[in-house]
Amino acid sequence: MRGLELLLRRLMQALVLALGVGTLCLLMMRALPGDMALRVAAGRYGFDRVDNAAADAVRAELGLDRSLWQVLPGWWLDLLSLDLGRSLVTGAPVLEELVHQLGATLQLSGAALALALPIGLLLGLRAGLRPGGAVDRLTLALAVLLRVMPSFLLAVLLMLGVAVGTGALPVAGDQGPASLLLPAATLAAGLAAGLARITRQALRGFLVSDAWAFARMKGLSESQALRHHGLRHVVLPVLAWLGVQAVFLVEGAVVVESLFAWPGIGHALVHAVFARDVPMIQGTALCMGLMFVLFNLLTDAASVAADPRRRAPQAGEGA
């Protein structure tokens, strides 16, 4: 029942998020200065080929002269029927374009996690076992540095130092698996440093707890006590921290994908904003919001699986 309640709660969050994000995007696009029809026409034909006649034709075709309150109810109904409309620039169905872009973003996020998890966990465990040692000081310095360093600056440094300096990897674009390494490393660096500190703190908390003393009293060696009892104490705060970092992955995707020209949701969102392509903006923003809900759902499910106490009914339930 707990799993079903969790799923229903996340589904309600997704529905409210979808309606809120779509409405907010429409309001923001209508509030921006400038002629929206002119922007859309420029996205279709190029800025050097746009005149007032082209803008008027686009305005009449798309009904951009209608008020917000005439447009909004129809968009809500389309959203509930899973119809995200068509791009104002390309004319292609938004849902079809999002399927391709979402795959690229999930690929990037998965690669970033695959890099960050082993590095952050190993460094964090090492720092927790040897507090004040070289690894502990190194992870603290990296965590502070990467926390204050903007992701775009780290991306530029990697571009110049690795791609341009050595020529070992492509600078940008999607030219095969090698193109994924630099953007994934940009996202993974901050995650790994923060994960190392969270792991270190969780392990230190276990090593001064009664559970550690009892495990050692039973005759277990340090490695046995850590393996059988310590890792569970480390996993739960790590999972909770990863749930919070879903925001970092979603926000970072916009910056990193744009800098590395990676064909994902964030890259598409930036181009849609410049072209005032409202259906694409709503679709990409909605997709990124749902990614956040999905990531938190997976984190909650993993936490329930790792902690038997969260699966057991509370006292008084079912009475």
Side-chain angles (χ1 to χ4, degrees):
M1 290 300 294
R2 284 182 175 276
L4 181 60
E5 291 175 4
L6 177 63
L7 179 61
L8 291 176
R9 186 164 64 248
R10 292 303 185 192
L11 287 177
M12 287 301 300
Q13 288 179 358
L15 178 60
V16 172
L17 178 69
L19 293 174
V21 167
T23 304
L24 184 60
C25 288
L26 191 59
L27 290 171
M28 291 175 64
M29 288 299 100
R30 289 296 183 104
L32 287 176
D35 188 345
M36 182 174 171
L38 190 63
R39 286 277 190 172
V40 174
R44 286 183 177 183
Y45 314 119
F47 282 95
D48 54 341
R49 298 182 179 180
V50 175
D51 53 18
N52 290 332
D56 291 338
V58 168
R59 185 178 294 105
E61 175 192 348
L62 302 178
L64 298 179
D65 52 350
R66 291 185 297 170
S67 69
L68 175 65
W69 307 114
Q70 290 176 309
V71 174
L72 197 55
W75 186 85
W76 282 340
L77 292 175
D78 290 340
L79 178 62
L80 293 176
S81 62
L82 301 181
D83 181 8
L84 298 180
R86 292 178 174 271
S87 168
L88 302 184
V89 175
T90 66
V94 171
L95 190 58
E96 289 184 6
E97 297 199 11
L98 288 179
V99 168
H100 171 72
Q101 295 157 357
L102 178 60
T105 296
L106 291 178
Q107 187 181 14
L108 175 60
S109 300
L113 285 174
L115 289 174
L117 286 176
I119 296 174
L121 289 174
L122 290 175
L123 289 177
L125 291 174
R126 178 68 177 177
L129 291 173
R130 301 290 184 271
V135 175
D136 190 17
R137 294 195 297 270
L138 175 63
T139 56
L140 176 59
L142 287 176
V144 172
L145 176 63
L146 293 173
R147 172 64 67 179
V148 301
M149 178 184 293
S151 56
F152 72 86
L153 178 57
L154 178 59
V156 171
L157 292 176
L158 288 176
M159 284 180 177
L160 295 176
V162 179
V164 177
T166 67
L169 295 172
V171 176
D174 184 7
Q175 304 175 35
S179 301
L180 187 60
L181 291 178
L182 287 184
T186 303
L187 286 176
L191 283 174
L195 179 59
R197 299 310 298 173
I198 293 296
T199 303
R200 186 259 189 203
Q201 292 301 111
L203 182 58
R204 291 306 304 163
F206 172 69
L207 292 179
V208 297
S209 68
D210 293 337
W212 169 258
F214 181 69
R216 295 289 287 146
M217 188 183 304
K218 290 193 303 181
L220 296 179
S221 65
E222 286 191 2
S223 60
Q224 290 173 329
L226 287 173
R227 186 166 59 251
H228 294 295
H229 302 283
L231 292 181
R232 179 174 296 175
H233 287 76
V234 172
V235 165
L236 293 177
V238 165
L239 288 174
W241 183 81
L242 285 175
V244 175
Q245 294 308 299
V247 177
F248 175 83
L249 277 176
V250 173
E251 290 179 348
V254 177
V255 177
V256 172
E257 287 180 359
S258 299
L259 286 172
F260 287 98
W262 183 256
I265 295 293
H267 190 223
L269 175 61
V270 173
H271 282 273
V273 169
F274 278 114
R276 302 286 180 89
D277 192 346
V278 176
M280 277 300 299
I281 295 171
Q282 290 172 324
T284 51
L286 174 62
C287 194
M288 295 177 73
L290 293 179
M291 281 177 57
F292 174 72
V293 174
L294 175 62
F295 197 86
N296 276 280
L297 176 61
L298 294 176
T299 303
D300 289 340
S303 298
V304 171
D307 188 359
R309 295 170 299 179
R310 299 186 62 177
R311 298 197 298 269
Q314 299 294 323
E317 288 186 359

